[in-house]
């Protein structure tokens, strides 16, 4: 077939949007571009629809050659929904005859980056200008920091590093300590660094010791201590790090570091979200801090960096003063950010192999007394590789434990081994259960049999007692979490939450099932949008409780309040003030990122949606600290998911 005329193509594209193959937004872009700069041919409009669609899927660009070679990899459609007068995107891509890049180059809406055209074409990669600008800005900012001379000499690092990581008796612990020690030193050496590793590999321990090293070095040299902030992408991730760092900081007191009490006071104990750190302006994509008004800091540490998208990373680097350090922590194998750009994944693409140059290896040995393994040496390694440290030993998952073995099998794409581990029932920390449809009572049974909440205070109790009670309830509720890959459909979070509410009502744990979204005591909710007035951020989790109104005055009766743990204290909020929340007995795996639960259960549906990938399964498994349950409606779908790996289209750090 041949390509239709531009006006006819736009009619076809609107049909694609009606069928859900692309977004209405993707078609609107093509229509607007054709109005502002009439396209010379339909292939240009097709490219604009596809590059917008790719952005919606988390990609930064559209690779023209790959798209022509494998069109279904860009938009896979069900042929049963095709209509005779609406050719599929695949059919139109197959109809391209002339070189696609040449046709785009002739269009006024496209340049090679010069000017302000909406689209940018670099060789074979087509970008929306916004993402081209972000990708370029991040690459340049990181390269600038990597080009700076080492901040600390090996001689200055060695005595402090030896105190921070004292010798261990057990060989496995000694090996893990050596890896953390080298990661700590490597991060201290550079103005930009990444520490990556799976759950329990000691990323938090390493970074707290890094802060101790830097502050001790400053105090030992007679310099002021560094102004440091700890941040995370979501409120959940920030709260989790906030809980984890207290004990790690206290351990530094036992290590006889230079600076004494001044050092401990200089290490931050509060974790904020990136939005709060940068000063997000409500109703806009802008922040109070930027290049013209930089953060008054010397260093920023970002945990759960896999969740940071390209736009947020651009904003963070833009707001950092030229002298400031940036350290990113995260698991490169987790799900990438929901928005476009897998920044941490691109940074850590070569982390497994190390690729340390001779100079780096020599510096590390002098700074730590530990030799870099020959398998990690590469004299052609990039400057970026010299600032990436990978932690490889997990303290959370025992080498023989089920969760650790399962996570490794999933990470390597070995679906058969993963199934064997699950079905063998040989591990106390794993449970496999088949699901017979979305309404299988097994799902609700896991929720309704959860641990009892702590006893309620007396009606006339002081506010502090109610705060302690709410804190205990939030901790109890956070011990177990049901996860699903989907938001909609019979196996989606919306349907599961309704099913669970109905089951709780039948067991008498709720007054009645009621309509979705109604408020009742015990309802767990997640904030789905930043609310600066209430100081609640996207991802914050609260639980609805019945309490005296006002506290301590039983004469006034009782009322419902939602308790959140925010900035180190309990925040009580009237339900009527919460405009953007959803029930979270079950939540999507994407929303669970940055969280950790004692027991996690994942539902695998009976069909394989595109979102169900190796990274998603791995992320769900590694949210569990002590026990993981798989509720599987189809072994075939699970196998397909483990074998399907996400590859975000990007040229960042390539």
């Amino acid at each position: 077939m041949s390509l239709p005329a531009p006006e006819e193509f736009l009619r076809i594209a609107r049909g694609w949007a009606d069928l859900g193959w692309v977004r209405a937004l993707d078609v609107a872009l093509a229509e607007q571009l054709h109005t502002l700069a009439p396209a010379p041919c339909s292939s240009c409009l097709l490219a604009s629809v596809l590059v917008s669609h790719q952005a919606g899927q988390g990609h930064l660009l559209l690779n023209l050659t790959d798209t022509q070679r494998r069109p279904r990899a860009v938009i896979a459609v069900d042929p049963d929904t095709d209509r005779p007068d609406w050719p599929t995107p695949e059919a139109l891509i197959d109809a391209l005859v002339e070189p696609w890049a040449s046709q785009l180059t002739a269009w006024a809406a496209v340049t090679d980056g010069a000017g302000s055209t909406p689209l940018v074409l670099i060789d074979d990669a087509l970008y929306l200008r916004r993402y081209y600008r972000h990708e370029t800005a991040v690459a340049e900012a990181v390269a600038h920091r990597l080009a700076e001379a080492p901040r600390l000499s090996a001689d200055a690092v060695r005595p402090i590093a030896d105190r921070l990581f004292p010798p261990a008796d057990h060989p496995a612990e000694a090996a893990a300590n050596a890896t953390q020690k080298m990661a700590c030193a490597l991060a201290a050496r550079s103005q930009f660094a990444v520490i990556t590793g799976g759950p329990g590999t000691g990323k938090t321990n390493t970074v707290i010791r890094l802060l101790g090293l830097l502050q001790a070095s400053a105090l030992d040299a007679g310099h002021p201590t560094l102004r440091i902030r700890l941040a995370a992408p979501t409120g959940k991730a920030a709260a989790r790090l906030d809980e984890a760092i207290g004990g790690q900081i206290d351990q530094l007191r036992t290590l006889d570091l230079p600076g004494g009490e001044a050092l401990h006071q200089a290490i931050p104990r509060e974790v904020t979200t990136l939005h709060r750190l940068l000063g997000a302006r409500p109703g806009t994509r802008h922040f109070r801090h930027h290049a013209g008004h930089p953060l008054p800091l010397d260093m920023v540490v970002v945990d759960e960096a896999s969740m940071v998208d390209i736009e947020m990373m651009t904003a963070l680097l833009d707001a950092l003063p030229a002298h400031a350090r940036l350290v990113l922590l995260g698991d490169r194998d987790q799900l990438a950010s929901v928005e476009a750009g897998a920044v941490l994944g691109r940074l850590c693409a070569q982390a497994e192999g190390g690729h340390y140059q001779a100079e780096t290896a020599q510096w590390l040995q002098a700074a730590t007394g530990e030799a870099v393994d020959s398998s990690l040496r590469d004299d052609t390694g990039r400057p970026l590789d010299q600032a990436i440290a990978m932690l490889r030993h997990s303290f959370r998952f025992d080498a023989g434990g089920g969760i650790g073995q399962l996570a490794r099998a999933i990470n390597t794409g070995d679906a058969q081994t993963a199934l064997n581990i699950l079905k063998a029932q040989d591990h106390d920390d794993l449970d496999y259960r088949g699901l017979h449809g979305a309404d299988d009572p097994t799902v609700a049974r896991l929720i309704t049999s959860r641990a009892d909440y702590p006893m309620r205070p007396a009606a006339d109790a002081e506010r502090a007692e109610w705060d302690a009670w709410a804190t205990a309830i939030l901790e109890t509720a956070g011990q177990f979490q049901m996860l699903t890959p989907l938001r909609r459909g019979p196996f989606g979070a919306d349907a599961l939450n309704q099913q669970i509410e109905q089951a709780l009502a039948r067991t008498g744990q709720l007054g009645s099932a009621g309509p979705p979204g109604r408020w009742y005591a015990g309802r767990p909710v997640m904030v789905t949008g930043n609310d600066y007035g209430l100081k609640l951020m996207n991802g914050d989790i609260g639980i609805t409780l019945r309490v005296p109104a006002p506290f301590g005055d039983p004469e006034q009766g009782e009322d419902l309040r939602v308790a959140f743990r925010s900035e180190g204290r309990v925040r009580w909020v009237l339900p009527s003030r919460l405009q953007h929340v959803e029930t979270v007995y079950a939540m999507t795996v994407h929303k669970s990122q940055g969280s950790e639960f004692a027991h996690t259960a994942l539902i695998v549906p009976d069909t394989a949606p595109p979102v169900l990938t190796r990274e998603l399964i791995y992320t769900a498994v590694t949210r569990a600290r002590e026990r993981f349950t798989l509720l599987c409606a189809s072994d075939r779908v699970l196998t397909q998911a483990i074998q399907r790996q996400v590859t975000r289209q990007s040229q960042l750090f390539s």
Side-chain angles (χ1 to χ4, degrees):
M1 67 174 294
S2 59
L3 289 175
E7 288 73 16
E8 175 62 13
F9 167 78
L10 292 174
R11 186 187 73 83
I12 293 170
R14 285 190 287 271
W16 295 349
D18 290 341
L19 293 172
W21 294 351
V22 298
R23 302 173 299 173
L25 177 67
D26 306 331
V27 180
L29 173 66
E31 291 175 328
Q32 184 178 29
L33 292 180
H34 187 54
T35 299
L36 298 174
C41 56
S42 292
S43 65
C44 295
L45 297 177
L46 173 61
S48 69
V49 170
L50 295 181
V51 72
S52 177
H53 171 79
Q54 287 287 85
Q57 301 299 308
H59 303 284
L60 295 184
L61 57 86
L62 175 74
N63 186 290
L64 301 178
T65 299
D66 286 351
T67 300
Q68 287 186 265
R69 187 183 299 124
R70 298 181 301 118
R72 285 185 63 80
V74 179
I75 300 183
V77 301
D78 183 352
D80 294 336
T81 64
D82 194 12
R83 299 183 183 183
D85 60 336
W86 281 353
T88 64
E90 180 181 4
L92 293 191
I93 294 169
D94 285 340
L96 294 171
V97 177
E98 297 181 32
W100 207 351
S102 324
Q103 296 169 323
L104 285 163
T105 302
W107 191 17
V110 179
T111 65
D112 62 357
S116 57
T117 55
L119 303 178
V120 173
L121 181 63
I122 305 296
D123 298 325
D124 213 25
L126 183 66
Y127 292 85
L128 297 174
R129 175 168 289 277
R130 178 159 65 100
Y131 292 122
Y132 171 73
R133 188 173 65 248
H134 290 329
E135 187 178 86
T136 302
V138 169
E140 290 178 350
V142 170
H144 174 76
R145 282 180 158 74
L146 292 173
E148 294 292 320
R151 290 294 190 88
L152 294 175
S153 68
D155 290 341
V157 170
R158 179 65 183 271
I160 303 174
D162 285 345
R163 294 185 189 183
L164 286 165
F165 296 93
D169 296 329
H170 193 280
E173 186 180 351
N177 277 358
T179 304
Q180 291 185 24
K181 187 178 185 181
M182 286 195 285
C184 179
L186 193 73
R189 181 174 182 253
S190 178
Q191 200 173 350
F192 173 84
V194 179
I195 300 174
T196 187
T201 51
K203 296 186 293 293
T204 304
N205 178 67
T206 302
V207 81
I208 292 301
R209 277 157 174 71
L210 168 63
L211 301 185
L213 169 61
L214 295 174
Q215 298 291 34
S217 299
L219 289 166
D220 199 35
H223 298 150
T225 54
L226 303 177
R227 297 166 298 172
I228 301 172
R229 293 296 299 274
L230 306 179
T234 67
K236 264 187 315 177
R240 181 181 164 197
L241 180 60
D242 195 71
E243 293 168 1
I245 61 175
Q248 301 285 0
I249 295 173
D250 290 339
Q251 285 183 17
L252 296 182
R253 296 180 183 276
T254 68
L255 301 178
D256 190 27
L257 297 171
E261 187 58 29
L263 180 145
H264 301 111
Q265 294 298 323
I267 297 178
R269 290 177 175 266
E270 181 182 315
V271 185
T272 187
T273 64
L274 285 170
H275 281 86
R276 287 188 182 115
L277 175 70
L278 296 177
R281 295 185 181 279
T284 77
R285 305 176 79 101
H286 302 296
F287 298 94
R288 188 164 57 87
H289 291 289
H290 47 75
H293 180 51
L295 291 161
L297 298 173
D298 301 307
M299 181 176 182
V300 173
V301 176
V302 180
D303 194 24
E304 296 291 352
S306 63
M307 301 167 65
V308 181
D309 60 79
I310 191 76
E311 185 171 4
M312 177 58 78
M313 187 61 72
T314 303
L316 174 60
L317 287 163
D318 187 52
L320 280 178
H323 73 278
R325 294 172 179 268
L326 176 62
V327 177
L328 305 178
L329 306 179
D331 185 347
R332 64 171 192 158
D333 296 314
Q334 278 191 42
L335 282 167
S337 57
V338 175
E339 302 297 331
V343 180
L344 187 72
R346 298 292 299 183
L347 282 164
C348 299
Q350 298 188 171
E352 185 74 40
H355 301 281
Y356 298 125
Q357 298 172 3
E359 179 187 357
T360 304
Q362 291 164 6
W363 189 94
L364 280 172
Q365 184 160 8
T368 65
E370 306 289 347
V372 176
D373 191 275
S374 59
S375 65
L376 303 179
R377 298 279 297 274
D378 178 5
D379 287 339
T380 64
R382 306 168 301 170
L384 176 61
D385 299 324
Q386 316 313 302
I388 310 292
M390 183 172 178
L391 304 177
R392 304 163 193 269
H393 177 84
S394 176
F395 292 95
R396 183 188 306 174
F397 303 136
D398 183 84
I403 293 176
Q405 289 187 33
L406 179 61
R408 284 191 291 274
I410 292 167
N411 245 347
T412 58
D414 190 345
Q416 189 57 57
T417 296
L419 274 169
N420 291 343
I421 292 170
L422 284 162
K423 291 189 171 183
Q425 302 288 337
D426 290 339
H427 301 283
D428 292 339
D429 57 350
L430 288 180
D431 188 15
Y432 174 91
R433 305 185 192 184
L435 274 188
H436 304 289
D439 57 353
D440 191 313
T442 302
V443 176
R445 198 175 299 127
L446 278 172
I447 296 288
T448 56
S449 61
R450 66 187 182 208
D452 291 334
Y453 287 149
M455 186 174 295
R456 170 188 172 89
D460 59 352
E462 296 295 324
R463 169 67 179 269
E465 291 185 57
W466 291 102
D467 286 354
W469 178 63
T471 298
I473 287 179
L474 285 165
E475 290 174 353
T476 301
Q479 292 298 298
F480 173 76
Q481 185 60 55
M482 181 77 67
L483 301 177
T484 173
L486 304 169
R487 174 70 184 272
R488 311 287 185 207
F491 290 94
D494 291 349
L496 289 169
N497 280 310
Q498 290 185 43
Q499 178 185 340
I500 291 165
E501 284 183 331
Q502 291 166 359
L504 289 170
R506 287 195 298 270
T507 61
Q509 296 181 58
L510 298 184
S512 61
R518 78 178 182 93
W519 290 99
Y520 53 84
R523 181 190 178 196
V525 295
M526 176 186 287
V527 177
T528 58
N530 296 336
D531 190 321
Y532 301 96
L534 296 177
K535 297 184 179 180
L536 295 174
M537 295 291 125
N538 187 9
D540 286 347
I541 291 181
I543 193 157
T544 312
L545 301 172
R546 189 170 295 282
V547 296
F551 289 106
D553 187 358
E555 299 289 331
Q556 298 295 319
E558 294 185 335
D559 208 347
L560 291 178
R561 294 288 191 278
V562 186
F564 293 90
R565 189 76 180 166
S566 176
E567 297 180 342
R569 65 184 183 87
V570 174
R571 190 181 302 280
W572 298 90
V573 182
L574 277 168
S576 59
R577 298 191 66 190
L578 294 168
Q579 302 302 310
H580 304 288
V581 294
E582 59 187 36
T583 305
V584 286
Y585 293 110
M587 70 172 68
T588 63
V589 178
H590 276 92
K591 288 187 178 297
S592 76
Q593 285 185 272
S595 297
E596 178 184 295
F597 309 96
H599 182 189
T600 297
L602 172 68
I603 292 177
V604 173
D606 54 6
T607 58
V611 72
L612 194 58
T613 63
R614 179 186 308 175
E615 290 82 0
L616 184 140
I617 302 292
Y618 170 83
T619 299
V621 170
T622 55
R623 296 312 87 206
R625 185 172 61 251
E626 299 171 7
R627 184 175 181 80
F628 174 74
T629 297
L630 186 76
L631 305 172
C632 189
S634 169
D635 288 353
R636 177 185 57 81
V637 170
L638 177 63
T639 297
Q640 290 176 354
I642 293 173
Q643 293 173 342
R644 183 189 300 136
Q645 190 170 19
V646 174
T647 303
R648 290 275 179 96
Q649 292 293 316
S650 170
Q651 295 192 97
L652 190 62
F653 310 120
S654 60

